[in-house]
Amino acid sequence: DILAGWYAKQMGLPVRKLIVATNENDILHRFFQAGDYSQLGVRETLSPSMDIQISSNFERFLFHAGGDDAPALKSLMDGLEDTKRLTPPPSLLAACREEMDSERVDDAEVLATIADVHTASAGEHTLDPHSAIAVAGARRFFQRAPP
């Protein structure tokens, strides 16, 4: 859970950037890449626990990234409830991007990552689809932004 990682970072864990890895139900990826937190419907994927459109922990992160401003967060969340779209002010989006980045992984890449890890480990390790999303997302992030 990315919020637990963020809390650990706040407590001193030496992490440069947290990566939100999503499946094709990519509301969080769209938020970090384009500021678009709108509900588009849920598609069935190989990673069913990620087949969501609203992440309850994300609201908690927005609260902290927005300076613990409860009235401002309430206004954002009321807008989301009314319009199915959350429109972050530029300062909030920038604060979120300072802490986290994102990658979107489709089912084909999930299967390819599972096969790659299985082969590379000589059959010793087999990833579940959720872990494959994390591995594929991390690989792509580090290709784009090496440490």
Side-chain angles (χ1 to χ4, degrees), residues 42-132:
V42 175
R43 287 187 295 250
E44 186 176 319
T45 70
L46 297 172
S47 47
S49 70
M50 298 174 82
D51 290 347
I52 61 169
Q53 278 299 300
I54 298 296
S55 170
S56 61
N57 281 339
F58 189 60
E59 183 177 345
R60 294 178 183 109
F61 173 67
L62 289 175
F63 173 72
H64 295 304
D68 298 345
D69 185 341
L73 181 64
K74 182 179 182 330
S75 176
L76 280 174
M77 299 314 292
D78 286 348
L80 176 63
E81 188 173 323
D82 292 344
T83 67
K84 306 296 185 215
R85 174 181 298 274
L86 183 147
T87 306
S91 60
L92 177 59
L93 184 57
C96 292
R97 287 175 171 165
E98 194 65 31
E99 297 293 331
M100 298 181 190
D101 206 327
S102 67
E103 294 291 342
R104 177 188 185 275
V105 179
D106 64 23
D107 279 350
E109 191 171 1
V110 167
L111 293 173
T113 302
I114 291 169
D116 178 57
V117 168
H118 189 77
T119 300
S121 69
E124 292 288 319
H125 302 287
T126 302
L127 297 175
D128 66 88
H130 302 86
S131 297

Side-chain angles (χ1 to χ4, degrees), residues 16 141-147:
R16 177 173 55 105
F141 175 78
F142 285 117
Q143 286 175 348
R144 179 168 60 84

